[in-house]
Amino acid sequence: MREAHVLVLNQHGDNRGDEAAFRALFASIADGAQGAVRFTVLHQFAGGAVHVAVPQRVNWISLVPRAIEGVRISLFAAALAAGLRMPRLAGPWGRSVIAAMESADVAVSAPGGPYFGDAYARHEVVHWFYVWLAARHGLPLMLYAPSVGPFETRILNPIRRRMFRHFDAVTLREDVSITHLAGLLGSDGPPVTLAADSALQRPLPPFTREEFFGSARSHLAERFLVGVSALEWAFPGARDPAMLQAKYEEVLVDALLHLHRSRPSHLLFAPQLYGARHSDVEYLERLAARLPAEVSWEILDPGADSDYQQRVFGMMDIYLATRYHPQVFAVGSAVPGVCIYYQHKAVGFLRHFGLERFAFPIDDPDSGALCAALDEVVRRREELSVLISERLPAMRRAAAQSTEQVLRLMRHVGRR
């Protein structure tokens, strides 16, 4: 049987959450394909260095070329738009991208944050370029469970409306994104399915406390464990971002102190960014240094991969997160908690479980309300865990719909 070839566009890099979503994409497509499957990934790891170890057969190509290579593939694209196919214009890097598109059976725009939307408007056109190029090569196209929107940057909306219609199928991981897309396209667009985050397709068993702490730190295994994920948010577009950041950090530290005063806790801070250019370890260290000396805390190994982090968050009693995927890691093991959200994706995820009241906006956090929510989560922890557990099977099935759409395109949609 012929080996299938899946081309993945717009893969995010250097982030443990996106790594988890991506690993689940690989594994689920490989498991569901009828026969062997290989992948080519157009990625944006910083500096072009790939840090994800996966068992599947993958060819990695950076989607951020050097300047001269970007000029050359742009010339190729201009000629292609005029009806001329001139691959020599594209240069060696560009020809590797073109070769992947010529041999692929389907193109999948990767799971991740709202890279089609205002939050990343500065480089959104780059992501649309690869969608356009895949469409010009006649590939069936699938948007695989990201978030999208909002779409208030009006100058981009004509491009967005045109480009979204290139997709044969769209899955989105939460309902807020579906509302944003419906507002942009109306009823004139591709079929859209409410799915769930890709990482939910690949559940991993939590660490036992004995496994994680070992005999040397067995005293910590008896503590109330709190998973903490904090984002250094720049408050783009705000009149006084420094004031907002100071308030957010003060509220976050107050909440952790509140938990400490309520019961003996151990805080585990989870770095999400990694690689030579990206790290949030220093920021987490600065936050933790603001806690009194008697507060027990540690920072997880920044070199540990997303599988490790999923298993750690599954071991927690509760979580407090401003980053999105640590929340997914925790809830994926029925661990409840509270999030301070900076984008709509976190609220949409909690709405899957009827827990959106435990989400608070980062630009106007209320310390009293946040601490009250944490108290409720602690008090009702077992009840909330049961509620999550009851809904998790349906959410995993919803997440699997994204892979089912890809497999359907591989089986039934011919090259256009």
Side-chain angles (χ1 to χ4, degrees):
M1 182 179 289
R2 175 182 169 276
E3 182 181 54
H5 181 195
V6 176
L7 174 64
V8 182
L9 315 173
N10 301 320
Q11 190 271 330
H12 292 38
D14 308 300
N15 184 299
R16 297 300 178 196
D18 291 316
E19 178 182 294
F22 204 52
R23 281 177 158 167
L25 177 153
F26 277 149
S28 61
I29 292 176
D31 289 346
Q34 296 175 345
V37 59
R38 65 185 176 96
F39 299 86
T40 297
V41 180
L42 299 184
H43 68 86
Q44 55 185 48
F45 286 100
V50 177
H51 309 283
V52 179
V54 293
Q56 293 79 22
R57 183 183 169 198
V58 183
N59 177 38
W60 303 88
I61 303 174
S62 174
L63 61 78
V64 185
R66 293 181 301 169
I68 185 62
E69 294 167 331
V71 170
R72 295 192 69 170
I73 200 168
S74 297
L75 291 173
F76 167 81
L80 191 63
L84 301 173
R85 187 167 188 82
M86 305 174 68
R88 292 188 66 178
L89 281 177
W93 170 85
R95 286 196 294 273
S96 70
V97 173
I98 295 163
M101 293 191 174
E102 289 176 338
S103 63
D105 297 291
V106 63
V108 177
S109 198
Y115 53 89
F116 297 135
D118 295 341
Y120 302 101
R122 287 182 300 174
H123 51 81
E124 183 180 350
V125 172
V126 174
H127 301 299
W128 282 127
F129 172 77
Y130 291 104
V131 171
W132 175 85
L133 198 58
R136 293 291 297 193
H137 281 79
L139 285 169
L141 272 161
M142 158 77 188
L143 183 58
Y144 192 105
S147 296
V148 299
F151 302 114
E152 296 175 3
T153 307
R154 294 187 178 183
I155 194 171
L156 289 175
N157 282 348
I159 296 172
R160 290 162 168 165
R161 291 188 185 98
R162 183 182 181 111
M163 297 306 298
F164 268 114
R165 293 184 178 111
H166 282 302
F167 289 113
D168 296 286
V170 171
T171 60
L172 299 175
R173 62 188 177 184
E174 31 74 21
D175 60 355
V176 183
S177 289
I178 286 184
T179 300
H180 286 317
L181 189 57
L184 178 72
L185 299 180
S187 59
D188 184 19
V192 179
T193 300
L194 175 60
D197 192 273
S198 174
L200 291 175
Q201 296 177 93
R202 190 169 172 263
L204 296 170
F207 284 116
T208 66
R209 297 189 177 207
E210 291 75 17
E211 283 179 300
F212 184 79
F213 290 111
S215 57
R217 301 198 301 157
S218 58
H219 62 290
L220 295 176
E222 301 172 2
R223 298 273 183 107
F224 192 77
L225 299 183
V226 181
V228 184
S229 171
L231 171 72
E232 187 175 15
W233 187 237
F235 293 89
R239 290 185 178 181
D240 192 348
M243 181 272 292
L244 290 174
Q245 188 167 56
K247 180 181 178 182
Y248 148 65
E249 291 176 0
E250 180 181 354
V251 167
L252 184 59
V253 171
D254 283 349
L256 295 175
L257 277 171
H258 179 78
L259 284 170
H260 166 71
R261 295 185 186 113
S262 301
R263 60 176 62 209
S265 301
H266 183 63
L267 312 178
L268 292 99
F269 290 84
Q272 288 293 284
L273 305 180
Y274 63 95
R277 295 191 186 180
H278 295 141
S279 174
D280 49 0
V281 172
E282 183 179 340
Y283 180 68
L284 297 179
E285 289 174 340
R286 291 203 311 268
L287 277 180
R290 296 174 59 174
L291 298 167
E294 67 268 18
V295 177
S296 176
W297 61 270
E298 66 182 278
I299 295 178
L300 298 179
D301 178 3
D305 65 10
S306 58
D307 286 2
Y308 177 89
Q309 285 207 7
Q310 284 192 74
R311 299 189 68 194
V312 170
F313 271 86
M315 175 186 72
M316 300 298 171
D317 289 300
I318 68 168
Y319 71 85
L320 175 59
T322 52
R323 286 194 174 274
Y324 167 79
H325 264 106
Q327 169 183 263
V328 176
F329 296 166
V331 173
S333 288
V335 174
V338 173
C339 83
I340 304 174
Y341 66 90
Y342 62 100
Q343 288 174 345
H344 61 271
K345 56 188 178 182
V347 181
F349 176 75
L350 288 180
R351 188 174 285 127
H352 279 304
F353 298 89
L355 299 174
E356 61 270 25
R357 69 184 181 282
F358 296 112
F360 296 86
I362 197 170
D363 56 355
D364 189 24
D366 182 295
S367 182
L370 184 64
C371 289
L374 286 167
D375 287 342
E376 180 182 354
V377 169
V378 172
R379 185 176 66 254
R380 299 178 57 208
R381 183 168 58 89
E382 292 185 6
E383 176 189 347
L384 293 173
S385 181
V386 169
L387 171 65
I388 296 170
S389 296
E390 289 173 346
R391 299 197 181 189
L392 266 174
M395 290 303 98
R396 298 201 195 282
R397 290 193 297 271
Q401 290 181 97
S402 299
T403 294
E404 290 165 6
Q405 295 276 18
V406 176
L407 297 174
R408 180 182 63 82
L409 290 176
M410 290 169 66
R411 288 192 297 264
H412 301 303
V413 181
R415 297 174 69 89
R416 292 179 290 205

